[in-house]
Amino acid sequence: MNLTLKIWRQKDASAKGQMVDYKVNDISEHMSFLEMMDVLNEQLVNAGEEPVAFDHDCREGICGMCSLYINGEAHGPDRGITTCQLHMRMFKDGDTITIEPWRAAAFPVIKDLVVDRMAFERIQQAGGYISVNTSGNTQDANSLPISKHAADEAMDAATCIGCGACVATCKNSSAMLFVGAKVSQYALLPQGQVEAADRVKNMVAQMDLEGFGNCTNTGACEVECPKGISLDNIARMNRELMKAAIK
């Protein structure tokens, strides 16, 4: 198929960006979206032009690095997938595809389609962990009984890969689905109870400090999340925050 690509180009964080049109031909419907981007970049390099910068790593939907806003949707028109899992069969010959970076004040553009998502890392550092006794007397995890329901919900929350699609798709650029998932995966388990109050207060405070907006209650984040993280995690985070404030 032959396609027209409208891509955001920005030299660096301080430069003014703009949309630039490109043509790519003979794209197979079996290619992934990032393979199509590779074809474009090879074409640009051969022509002596600067290739388009975009994030990627595992290309298996695990690492959360790929982060493109495609035709007005985070990760593109498919559901339950990351950009690297999006295939060109979702498009038609002659289509015009608009490709942009995540748009959020807390995710400043570094270059072209690459954004700085260190805000997520700082939120994690604020409390997304448990303190473990490593003296040699660590309690065996299997000695702590956990209900199947709690274990399943904790695992569902832990599948969040921190890609930032929730932020990109929210009109308030809210990170509450991300933070809710990271709080929930510990709040549901006994290992996370010791630091539960400090964890949620610190992570929410850091989220606010980074400049993320409040939840809009529209549910767009859950729809666009490649791992299907539930809005229930936001509700759980709010309950945990209320409990921490009362203590």
Side-chain angles (χ1 to χ4, degrees), residues 122-123 126-127 129 197-207 241:
R122 290 187 288 270
I123 292 172
Y129 54 84
D198 287 340
R199 175 183 302 111
V200 69
K201 287 191 293 185
N202 292 341
M203 293 184 77
V204 170
Q206 187 64 40
M207 174 184 71
L241 187 60

Side-chain angles (χ1 to χ4, degrees), residues 198 223 227 236 247:
D198 287 340
V223 173
K227 300 302 177 181
R236 184 177 295 106
K247 287 184 178 179

Side-chain angles (χ1 to χ4, degrees), residues 65-218:
M65 285 295 292
C66 58
S67 51
L68 302 181
Y69 209 67
I70 303 164
N71 285 349
E73 296 183 84
H75 293 306
D78 210 346
R79 290 290 176 266
I81 53 95
T82 55
T83 300
C84 62
Q85 295 173 302
L86 177 66
H87 281 78
M88 297 311 297
R89 56 178 169 266
M90 297 298 296
F91 304 93
K92 298 176 183 178
D93 183 36
D95 275 357
T96 295
I97 305 175
T98 302
I99 309 169
E100 301 172 84
W102 286 168
R103 300 291 190 182
F107 289 163
V109 174
I110 297 174
K111 182 178 181 180
D112 295 339
L113 304 173
V114 180
V115 299
D116 182 355
R117 284 174 286 181
M118 282 303 294
F120 272 9
E121 298 299 321
R122 290 187 288 270
I123 292 172
Q124 281 280 73
Q125 291 166 9
Y129 54 84
I130 60 171
S131 298
V132 178
N133 181 354
T134 57
S135 64
N137 298 317
T138 306
Q139 185 174 9
D140 185 79
N142 292 327
S143 67
L144 299 173
I146 301 170
S147 71
K148 177 70 163 57
H149 180 69
D152 287 346
E153 284 198 322
M155 182 58 72
D156 288 343
T159 59
C160 170
I161 56 176
C163 66
C166 52
V167 174
T169 200
C170 177
K171 58 188 178 183
N172 280 357
S173 298
S174 172
M176 291 186 75
L177 191 67
F178 167 77
V179 180
K182 298 306 177 184
V183 167
S184 290
Q185 72 182 71
Y186 297 114
L188 287 159
L189 301 176
Q191 292 93 334
Q193 297 308 309
V194 177
E195 297 157 308
D198 287 340
R199 175 183 302 111
V200 69
K201 287 191 293 185
N202 292 341
M203 293 184 77
V204 170
Q206 187 64 40
M207 174 184 71
D208 292 340
L209 186 64
E210 296 293 343
F212 292 105
N214 288 325
C215 177
T216 64
N217 294 317
T218 59

